[in-house]
Amino acid sequence: MTNNSFWGNNKAYIYTALGLGVVGFIFIKFFMIMDWGYLIMYTLKALTGNIGGVLAEPKTATEQMINSAFGPAYQSIAPEIIRASNERQEYIWYVFIAEIVIFAFLYIKNGRVEANITRPNDLVTVFTPFQRTVIWLNIIMICVLVITGFNITWSLRSEGGGLPRYLRMFHELTGLAWTVVWLTFTVIAAKDSKGWRKETMFKFFLPGKFKPSKRVVWFFFAAMGAGLCFSGATIIALHPSAFTHAEIIQFRRALLYLHFGASVLIMFFILDYVYASAVSVKGYLKGLCSGQYPREYLEQVAPDVLEDLKKEGRA
């Protein structure tokens, strides 16, 4: 009985850890050409404020010139970024198609969750105007960042020019604005924080409790979003010049790689959330637009949300 209970309560975490572990092992072992020893040591140095990338002083004048021209330890990170960029341009479609095929299979196999509504006019306000504003800003900005990010990912195909340049600028501006939206959404969606919230603040947070699978999605949205916001803003802020090139180029490379990895992971979990919440459950998107759901819908599909709203006197 205990084993079944443990599996039932933790299978979402176990599946996630196994999946990421297998994929990570395959990539690190067979695909990546990153110098992991250097990256680990460089990260430790960067945490102390030394972002230059020189772990050992150059022994020859030639090595010193190479460091100045291409940045220190060019072979450690830069070739991996080039490989990853080219790989994304060639294979990223197959990754998204594979995920969509999996969702299509689940949809065909399990169908949609549909509540039996007999009192459609008995509505409960679930999302306040503030919450809906944050949610829809998050949705719109992520869509913009994905579309403009594809322009950067497929830079070999866009071949430069005015439009790709403006799309990159729009990506950067939207990303800076999304930092505020990401932080706000991460906070109001932190359903595990109920124990230390003031009761007067409940109305700002999304109602309900986390299921394990949704907690995983929230965690990766928070963690990968933090990585994207930090790396993106820092990359924009640090502009190499003839005087600062060698001092910051390695840091920008490491941040760019962080940006690559975080964008892939956050996209995977966002698509998982969209399927689980909006596609596989009938009526969710309509309520997200109006902010209201039939009481019977909440009783059958989201009783934890209804329970929270009752405690707040909103249902």
Side-chain angles (χ1 to χ4, degrees):
M1 184 70 177
T2 303
N3 290 337
N4 290 338
S5 177
F6 175 83
W7 173 253
N9 293 332
N10 297 281
K11 62 181 179 180
Y13 314 128
I14 295 171
Y15 280 141
T16 302
L18 287 175
L20 292 178
V22 170
V23 173
F25 173 79
I26 293 173
F27 267 83
I28 292 174
K29 182 70 175 177
F30 301 106
F31 293 102
M32 292 183 178
I33 54 178
M34 177 81 76
D35 184 342
W36 291 102
Y38 173 86
L39 181 64
I40 292 171
M41 294 303 298
Y42 172 67
T43 302
L44 294 175
K45 285 275 188 180
L47 290 174
T48 65
N50 181 6
I51 64 173
V54 179
L55 302 185
E57 291 300 321
K59 298 177 181 179
T60 64
T62 302
E63 188 177 346
Q64 186 174 4
M65 290 173 62
I66 292 174
N67 285 354
S68 298
F70 301 103
Y74 177 85
Q75 295 293 333
S76 300
I77 301 177
E80 174 61 31
I81 294 175
I82 296 170
R83 183 208 64 80
S85 178
N86 291 335
E87 182 183 78
R88 282 162 66 103
Q89 295 183 68
E90 294 294 332
Y91 302 117
I92 196 70
W93 280 113
Y94 299 106
V95 175
F96 287 127
I97 289 173
E99 190 173 5
I100 291 171
V101 167
I102 293 173
F103 292 149
F105 170 77
L106 293 174
Y107 185 85
I108 294 170
K109 178 177 178 292
N110 301 325
R112 302 184 80 184
V113 175
E114 184 175 358
N116 181 25
I117 307 299
T118 60
R119 304 188 307 275
N121 294 325
D122 184 10
L123 299 173
V124 176
T125 299
V126 175
F127 299 117
T128 65
F130 166 74
Q131 291 168 342
R132 277 187 292 150
T133 300
V134 173
I135 291 170
W136 281 107
L137 279 175
N138 193 42
I139 292 171
I140 293 169
M141 286 186 174
I142 287 176
C143 290
V144 170
L145 289 169
V146 169
I147 294 170
T148 55
F150 280 154
N151 162 71
I152 299 172
T153 295
W154 291 308
S155 56
L156 294 180
R157 288 170 170 75
S158 62
E159 298 180 352
L163 181 60
R165 177 170 173 267
Y166 290 127
L167 287 174
R168 176 183 287 271
M169 292 170 61
F170 194 41
H171 183 84
E172 293 176 350
L173 291 172
T174 305
L176 291 174
W178 182 68
T179 301
V180 178
V181 175
W182 161 80
L183 181 59
T184 305
F185 182 81
T186 299
V187 171
I188 68 172
K191 298 182 179 181
D192 286 335
S193 66
K194 292 178 183 178
W196 50 268
R197 294 182 205 158
K198 292 182 178 179
E199 291 188 7
T200 54
M201 299 293 291
F202 278 10
K203 62 182 179 180
F204 296 107
F205 293 83
L206 301 183
K209 299 176 182 177
F210 273 140
K211 294 179 181 178
S213 58
K214 298 293 178 64
R215 183 178 289 109
V216 168
V217 173
W218 177 86
F219 171 79
F220 277 94
F221 179 83
M224 296 304 106
L228 286 170
C229 293
F230 170 73
S231 59
T234 309
I235 288 170
I236 293 171
L238 293 178
H239 293 283
S241 68
F243 301 102
T244 63
H245 175 84
E247 285 76 13
I248 64 174
I249 191 63
Q250 196 72 311
F251 189 50
R252 281 174 60 93
R253 289 175 184 144
L255 290 175
L256 183 59
Y257 191 72
L258 170 62
H259 207 75
F260 272 8
S263 64
V264 171
L265 280 174
I266 201 171
M267 276 298 300
F268 175 82
F269 286 100
I270 285 175
L271 286 175
D272 175 57
Y273 183 82
V274 169
Y275 171 78
S277 298
V279 178
S280 66
V281 180
K282 187 175 181 179
Y284 177 84
L285 193 58
K286 182 179 179 181
L288 196 60
C289 294
S290 66
Q292 296 181 317
Y293 291 88
R295 185 180 299 273
E296 291 171 312
Y297 174 95
L298 297 175
E299 290 172 347
Q300 298 170 44
V301 176
D304 57 314
V305 172
L306 184 60
E307 181 183 352
D308 266 11
L309 294 174
K310 286 180 178 178
K311 290 179 180 178
E312 296 174 30
R314 293 166 52 189

